[in-house]
Amino acid sequence: MGELPFKISQPLSLGIELELQIVNTRDYNLTRGASDLLGALAKGGSPGDIKPEITESMIEMSSSPQTSHAGLLAELRAMREAVAAGARKLNLGIAGGGAHPFQKWNDRRIYDTERFNQLASLYGYLAKQFTVFGQHIHVGCADGDEAVYLTHMFSRFVPHFIALSASSPFHQGEDTLFDSSRLSAVHAFPLSGRIPLVRSWAEFEAYFAKMRDYGIVQSMKDFYWDVRPKPEFGTIEVRVCDTPLSIDRAAALAAYAQSLARYLRLERPREVSDDLYLVYNVNRFQSCRYGLDAELIDPFGGVRAKVHEDLVATFSRVAAHAEELGCRSVVQGLLMGAQDYGNDARRLRARFKETQSFADVVRWQCEQWMQVR
Amino acid sequence: MPELFFLPALPLPSNQIIWFGVLLVAGVVGGEIAKRAFFLPRITGYAAAGLALGPDGFALLGRPMLDELRVFADISIGLILFELGHRIDLRWLKRVPRLALTSLAESGLSAILVYFTLTQLFGVGPLHAAVAAAIGLATSPAVVMRITADLGAEGQVTERTLLLTALNCSIAVLALTALIPSLYLEYRGGWRIIVLHPLYLLGGSFVLGLAASALTLQVLQWIGKRVEVQVLALVALILVTVGVALTLKLSVLLALLAYGGLVRNLDRNHSLAAPDFGLIGQMFFLILFVLAGANLDLAAAAKGSAIGAAFVAVRFIGKAAGIMAFIPGSGLKARQGLLLAVALTPMSGLAVIMLQDTQSLFPEFGRALASLVLPAVVLLEIAGPILTQFALKLAGEARPGPAAKS
């Protein structure tokens, strides 16, 4: 057994984590509510796993490992019911969205645990500015080598996940012009970015051992990469998504990731190459900035296409796999409907244009997520 | 024409503007001293500054001037009660009926305990005790709002302190109005007055609040979502409403509470962004506390220290018991419930105003009543803010870091 044993999990098993905003229902600013909400939930005996995050204005909801989109969605719905009921009792609002539109970062409070206090003192203002809300998608892998392969190959599709989930157009009371402003906040951390170009689990373990011996990291948790292997779970974890406005969209994104993973591991359409990362940062920036209308450069061949066009092309490749996984219509709706539906960032902007009030936008976000008025 | 006609005549006349400024300065200085030298809440310093200037202190500020300055206190009370009324979220109460029960229990129990303590232990007559108990069940809205704002407090204890304060103030004002017929029976007045006066106060004040809120929502919708303009319009409309209530001899307390509550709960289109009166609000808060301090009657308090202490103690026991009875299923932990009860302790400006209102109708009764209520007011003028601050800090809801220290 090597440095980092890779737990065997069921290939293509599925799980997500959602970071959610806690707001008050008076002016809809972020508020200190995590410990009160968790206290109220613990008494009620809630399904699934609901945890505090680094600030008091955030909670994280994690599904258990699921095999299908349907199972995942059912579990998320039950968790939403519990969280929404707890929040209503405390007169709090729970919302999706990658960033709060008008909170001031200096107002945020650090949730009182040793790890969070340590991070806060290490990263200073970054820790508070990191009050952004993401969705992480886990897909099970057969072994470490497969995880390394999928991690690299997913980077080709990272712009899809960014553009489809983007829901943070506003930040600190301004329109950022970005569809996802959240990812730029992640970029400031020294260990963000991407996995180095290793080609096997053994190589990755050697890299990890070196980084640990330098004293740079202690565990995989310290890497804030866009896509990273997660040996404790036996999964790869896609971390670029903004938390969507609804759990249905969150589950649909997970179904897309699952279908994509099945396509990649069974067909192995390409081998890992340096070229993947030549275009990576430019594509990433483009999709953060322009969302579904961003122009992507295909690392394999250099063809340029808009994200929404690339989504349509990708669907023809993954459709059969989605069919096998029982989520074809969901993935079809997500990828083929992208151009018409737009993404959540577009809907948030439309909402703001209509109401001219960020508080109204957040109230609407709460309605979208809690599904109650 | 005298030769130096352009010079002011002696003795120099004092005027309200000078005093308004002097009180502001004294308040600011007192607040900073309290904060820096004694680690007390600023508002304790405001009241101390008022006390020092007032008749019981160095007597720079006499009774006549205090009466002239009452207009500023009325404006402050108007702003505060509007904001307080706006805290009453009926949808929350409907969703969690337990909250309404908690409010009734804490108000009811504290009033009942105060009533029996006064009648049984101190031999006070039932009518005096009932009015004192009604006044005493209210928490000081100004203190609670100022302390939560100063601390940047957020969380369930804070939210519920503000909600329960809004509710118990409403209950107190209603209870006091309901007692007016008994007062007339005791003192003077035919049946027409007995029936019509409370009806006029209740109905008139509510209708005024309703009219003001309907007008406000129209105006706000027309203004749109620009917060600064909204706040100015709101302050203007509140001033008008306070003035109208005074002119029509209605209850400023009832009218403004109704106004705030109705604006919140009739606002179907969400046209009002949360009201934050900012610096204007802070200035009037400060003046209110300085004036409250200047009006404090220390002699009366010293004479009634036993009554005051008993009043404060049983009032707290009633509030704590009422809250703890409904803690299971409320979403709060027992510890949070206890801290909530502590946070609800303050009693000051609003009690004095209810006292003065009663006194203006029934002077003789009012003097006897003051000797029952004022000792507790004086005691809590000092202890109240400290207790609320202590409770919110212990609940972990005060903003940590430099903001709280400065």
Side-chain angles (χ1 to χ4, degrees):
Chain A
M1 192 159 297
E3 282 288 335
L4 268 179
F6 193 91
K7 182 183 169 230
I8 305 301
S9 71
Q10 187 188 345
L12 303 179
S13 58
L14 196 58
I16 67 176
E17 295 153 304
L18 286 175
E19 291 164 346
L20 299 166
Q21 312 189 21
I22 306 177
V23 299
N24 73 49
T25 52
R26 233 167 84 80
D27 64 5
Y28 289 91
N29 200 345
L30 287 176
T31 192
R32 180 196 159 283
S35 43
D36 290 333
L37 183 59
L38 290 168
L41 288 177
K43 277 184 205 159
S46 53
D49 189 13
I50 298 161
K51 291 195 297 280
E53 253 297 333
I54 186 158
T55 90
E56 267 281 358
S57 311
M58 188 191 295
I59 48 164
E60 185 183 270
M61 204 169 103
S62 316
S63 77
S64 54
Q66 295 285 337
T67 53
S68 70
H69 167 265
L72 178 69
L73 188 59
E75 186 185 26
L76 290 177
R77 286 202 168 136
M79 289 170 87
R80 176 182 67 193
E81 292 312 311
V83 171
R88 281 161 58 77
K89 189 175 211 173
L90 305 184
N91 213 19
L92 297 168
I94 305 293
H100 187 275
F102 64 88
Q103 63 111 2
K104 296 285 174 245
W105 64 267
N106 199 27
D107 285 346
R108 300 284 62 82
R109 300 152 186 226
I110 302 301
Y111 192 99
D112 192 14
T113 68
E114 198 183 333
R115 175 177 154 82
F116 291 148
N117 284 325
Q118 215 173 17
L119 287 175
S121 70
L122 171 61
Y123 288 118
Y125 83 109
L126 288 182
K128 283 188 177 178
Q129 281 204 320
F130 198 54
T131 306
V132 288
F133 305 82
Q135 171 182 359
H136 299 170
I137 305 171
H138 288 270
V139 183
C141 302
D143 55 39
D145 290 340
E146 184 173 293
V148 169
Y149 175 73
L150 286 179
T151 300
H152 286 305
M153 293 312 288
F154 257 73
S155 66
R156 156 72 178 80
F157 300 96
V158 154
H160 291 182
F161 287 96
I162 294 174
L164 285 169
S165 70
S167 58
S168 50
F170 306 115
H171 200 55
Q172 313 277 311
E174 302 282 343
D175 189 330
T176 60
L177 298 185
F178 280 63
D179 270 17
S180 170
S181 65
R182 167 183 153 272
L183 272 186
S184 312
V186 183
H187 241 352
F189 289 84
L191 296 174
S192 64
R194 59 171 182 89
I195 190 173
L197 200 68
V198 295
R199 286 163 206 272
S200 69
W201 190 249
E203 266 182 64
F204 183 77
E205 285 182 303
Y207 163 81
F208 179 83
K210 216 179 217 175
M211 293 295 277
R212 195 197 47 211
D213 294 345
Y214 284 142
I216 294 176
V217 297
Q218 287 168 348
S219 74
M220 281 301 297
K221 264 196 178 144
D222 297 319
F223 293 112
Y224 290 11
W225 295 332
D226 291 346
V227 187
R228 74 180 178 194
K230 182 95 177 167
E232 310 92 290
F233 291 179
T235 61
I236 61 160
E237 185 185 8
V238 180
R239 298 155 49 84
V240 291
C241 296
D242 283 359
T243 298
L245 296 184
S246 70
I247 57 167
D248 295 64
R249 195 163 176 84
L253 285 163
Y256 174 40
Q258 189 188 28
S259 309
L260 201 55
R262 190 172 194 276
Y263 157 69
L264 292 170
R265 77 188 283 266
L266 293 184
E267 296 190 18
R268 280 187 95 91
R270 302 276 180 178
E271 284 312 308
V272 173
S273 122
D274 240 350
D275 297 349
L276 273 172
Y277 295 110
L278 292 180
V279 296
Y280 185 74
N281 278 335
V282 171
N283 280 347
R284 186 183 190 274
F285 166 79
Q286 284 281 324
S287 54
C288 285
R289 172 68 178 81
Y290 298 104
L292 295 166
D293 294 324
E295 201 166 65
L296 294 188
I297 309 162
D298 187 345
F300 304 107
V303 180
R304 284 163 180 268
K306 300 259 174 164
V307 170
H308 61 84
E309 296 161 358
D310 200 38
L311 286 171
V312 171
T314 307
F315 181 68
S316 65
R317 280 179 261 160
V318 301
H321 297 279
E323 179 82 51
E324 283 299 313
L325 292 165
C327 56
R328 185 190 157 107
S329 65
V330 173
V331 174
Q332 183 169 10
L334 185 70
L335 303 194
M336 305 299 282
Q339 177 63 340
D340 294 335
Y341 174 87
N343 56 15
D344 286 336
R346 210 184 278 177
R347 299 172 72 211
L348 286 165
R349 281 202 173 94
R351 195 76 200 171
F352 181 70
K353 200 174 163 201
E354 189 185 316
T355 61
Q356 291 298 314
S357 152
F358 285 127
D360 280 346
V361 171
V362 180
R363 196 183 67 247
W364 177 76
Q365 283 174 246
C366 291
E367 283 167 13
Q368 299 299 303
W369 198 87
M370 295 168 82
Q371 289 295 312
V372 282
R373 289 184 60 101
Chain B
M1 194 180 282
E3 213 179 326
L4 298 176
F5 65 92
F6 52 86
L7 288 177
L10 289 173
L12 291 172
S14 87
N15 69 36
Q16 291 136 307
I17 299 180
I18 296 179
W19 273 110
F20 186 75
V22 169
L23 292 183
L24 275 182
V25 172
V28 169
V29 172
E32 287 311 301
I33 291 176
K35 190 94 196 172
R36 294 186 201 178
F38 301 102
F39 302 102
L40 291 173
R42 282 203 185 85
I43 54 182
T44 310
Y46 302 159
L51 187 61
L53 291 175
D56 272 17
F58 299 109
L60 293 173
L61 192 58
R63 285 272 162 218
M65 185 47 77
L66 273 181
D67 289 339
E68 281 187 50
L69 289 169
R70 164 86 196 244
V71 60
F72 295 113
D74 284 331
I75 296 174
S76 315
I77 285 286
L79 292 173
I80 288 167
L81 287 180
F82 174 85
E83 201 180 327
L84 191 69
H86 196 264
R87 285 272 171 187
I88 302 177
D89 185 350
L90 291 181
R91 284 176 311 171
W92 191 16
L93 290 174
K94 224 160 85 186
R95 259 190 333 249
V96 192
R98 198 159 269 268
L99 279 171
L101 292 178
T102 308
S103 171
L104 288 176
E106 68 90 8
S107 309
L109 281 179
S110 60
I112 288 168
L113 285 183
V114 167
Y115 177 82
F116 281 109
T117 306
L118 291 178
T119 52
Q120 304 302 313
L121 289 184
F122 294 93
V124 175
L127 190 54
H128 288 85
V131 175
I135 291 176
L137 70 85
T139 299
S140 165
V143 170
V144 165
M145 285 162 66
R146 199 58 244 152
I147 293 281
T148 51
D150 260 4
L151 293 178
E154 283 179 11
Q156 283 300 304
V157 176
T158 306
E159 283 298 315
R160 288 175 196 222
T161 300
L162 288 163
L163 178 72
L164 290 181
T165 300
L167 292 174
N168 68 26
C169 288
S170 313
I171 294 172
V173 177
L174 290 174
L176 196 59
T177 314
L179 283 168
I180 287 181
S182 318
L183 285 165
Y184 276 124
L185 273 179
E186 185 85 11
Y187 289 89
R188 65 187 153 108
W191 65 270
R192 282 227 313 252
I193 295 182
I194 292 179
V195 176
L196 290 180
H197 190 200
L199 280 183
Y200 175 70
L201 283 180
L202 273 182
S205 307
F206 184 80
V207 168
L208 175 59
L210 184 64
S213 57
L215 177 66
T216 303
L217 290 176
Q218 287 296 319
V219 170
L220 290 180
Q221 204 147 34
W222 176 73
I223 288 176
K225 296 283 162 92
R226 287 161 302 160
V227 177
E228 297 81 8
V229 189
Q230 277 202 348
V231 166
L232 282 179
L234 210 51
V235 170
L237 286 164
I238 290 170
L239 290 182
V240 171
T241 311
V242 171
V244 171
L246 289 171
T247 306
L248 297 180
K249 294 169 83 172
L250 293 169
S251 160
V252 175
L253 306 180
L254 264 179
L256 269 289
L257 272 173
Y259 180 15
L262 290 168
V263 163
R264 169 76 175 257
N265 290 287
L266 295 180
D267 190 4
R268 297 251 173 271
N269 306 321
H270 303 277
S271 28
L272 176 60
D276 176 2
F277 297 125
L279 267 180
I280 306 178
Q282 279 184 34
M283 187 171 82
F284 279 103
F285 259 117
L286 195 155
I287 279 295
L288 179 69
F289 285 110
V290 177
L291 285 174
N295 273 308
L296 279 186
D297 186 347
L298 288 185
K303 250 189 288 169
S305 56
I307 268 195
F311 195 116
V312 169
V314 298
R315 179 175 174 272
F316 171 75
I317 293 170
K319 290 196 177 303
I323 289 168
M324 296 315 279
F326 289 98
I327 273 293
S330 68
L332 288 194
K333 299 190 179 80
R335 179 173 179 276
Q336 288 175 304
L338 216 52
L339 293 174
L340 173 55
V342 174
L344 286 175
T345 308
M347 166 171 157
S348 64
L350 187 70
V352 172
I353 285 182
M354 291 194 276
L355 202 57
Q356 287 171 346
D357 286 352
T358 316
Q359 210 157 8
S360 67
L361 288 174
F362 309 99
E364 188 190 333
F365 178 84
R367 269 190 296 281
L369 183 66
S371 68
L372 301 178
V373 178
L374 279 185
V377 170
V378 173
L379 211 58
L380 289 180
E381 192 77 51
I382 300 153
I386 299 171
L387 286 170
T388 302
Q389 174 162 322
F390 167 79
L392 296 179
K393 280 190 172 170
L394 214 60
E397 300 195 356
R399 174 179 296 138
K405 276 181 218 133
S406 71

